[in-house]
Amino acid sequence: MSDRTPLPRLAVLCSGRGSNLGAILAAIAAGTLDAQIVGVFSDKPKCAALRLVPEALRWSAKPGDFATRGDFDQALGDAIVAARPDWIACAGYMRILDGAFVERFRGRLLNIHPSLLPRHRGLDTHQRALEAGDREHGASVHFVIPELDAGAVIAQIVVPVQPGDTPQTLAERVQAQEHHLYPEVLRWAVAGRLHERDATAVLDGHTLFTPRRLEFAE
Ligand code: GRF
């Protein structure tokens, strides 16, 4: 019998390219994130993210094949429960999760959002940051609550806006930093250092009244 503690179990929800999932997988492979991926779940059966993991770890379904949003989220949630994750990380999951789903996994459901929340909830954040004349932009990892992009923010990275930036150039710099940010927050999570309490984020027993601002060298 092995005396090794079982690795913490991560489920990841994706709809697209999966570069954040790739960063999480790379951190696990490098031995800097002590966790195992127990499933990747998608509302887009053809998305590139799914192909980053072996077939046995993939779950996907088309929302259009379900009668209601609630039915889809119930099936998604049942598949996640079957994988027994400790933490569930939304990483470019582009579908709004219904309230029942969020309550089912509340407190262990995280999301990465490409803005300095509470600025620019929702879509097209890079373009909106440029249109608003923001001098700083970035990304946030937060607990998921039923209200979109409104849960307690745990940590952020800041990316200065440069003259001549386009939504694409800004997105590239933000995403490069996201790939450090998400594995770092997941390290805290799987180490048991992170909790959601009374709608706030708690790290090492201390309420985060403001998100941790992290810096990573390129
Ligand atoms: C990221 O920018 C993330 O912040 C947002 O969606 C994008 C996903 O990119 N939620 P990827 O699929 O991880 O490459």
Side-chain angles (χ1 to χ4, degrees):
M1 215 172 76
S2 165
D3 58 358
R4 295 178 63 174
T5 319
L7 285 170
R9 303 168 67 85
L10 293 181
V12 183
L13 273 59
C14 299
S15 303
R17 192 167 65 126
S19 68
N20 278 286
L21 171 62
I24 294 166
L25 288 165
I28 291 173
T32 59
L33 175 60
D34 282 329
Q36 56 180 317
I37 300 287
V38 294
V40 173
F41 301 82
S42 185
D43 61 327
K44 297 265 190 268
K46 294 202 165 118
C47 76
L50 282 170
R51 295 199 296 274
L52 297 179
V53 294
E55 214 167 335
L57 295 183
R58 301 176 197 162
W59 181 93
S60 66
K62 289 188 195 154
D65 290 343
F66 293 77
T68 66
R69 167 183 297 277
D71 288 349
F72 177 81
D73 279 3
Q74 178 72 35
L76 171 66
D78 290 348
I80 292 171
V81 165
R84 295 183 293 110
D86 298 300
W87 288 88
I88 301 115
C90 299
Y93 185 71
M94 300 308 287
R95 200 176 151 78
I96 293 174
L97 294 161
D98 76 1
F101 179 97
V102 172
E103 290 307 330
R104 198 171 176 186
F105 299 105
R106 182 92 192 247
R108 52 199 184 101
L109 183 59
L110 302 173
N111 181 45
I112 189 160
H113 180 78
S115 79
L116 293 174
L117 290 170
R119 281 186 81 67
H120 308 308
R121 291 174 181 160
L123 296 174
D124 302 324
T125 58
H126 308 299
Q127 187 170 336
R128 284 159 59 208
L130 290 174
E131 282 168 3
D134 293 356
R135 297 168 70 153
E136 287 189 330
H137 187 45
S140 308
V141 174
H142 63 94
F143 282 105
V144 176
I145 64 171
E147 192 186 340
L148 185 66
D149 301 329
V153 180
I154 301 156
Q156 298 179 319
I157 49 93
V158 176
V159 171
V161 177
Q162 289 173 2
D165 258 334
T166 65
Q168 289 70 31
T169 60
L170 194 50
E172 276 168 27
R173 293 205 310 286
V174 169
Q175 279 177 6
Q177 291 286 307
E178 287 182 15
H179 300 159
H180 299 290
L181 175 65
Y182 218 172
E184 179 66 8
V185 173
L186 288 169
R187 264 176 221 119
W188 301 344
V190 300
R193 297 173 56 192
L194 185 63
H195 302 277
E196 186 193 30
R197 199 176 297 147
D198 301 331
T200 60
V202 176
L203 179 63
D204 296 329
H206 301 289
T207 299
L208 295 177
F209 292 108
T210 55
R212 282 287 163 90
R213 289 259 169 127
L214 303 181
E215 283 181 40
F216 302 96
E218 267 314 289

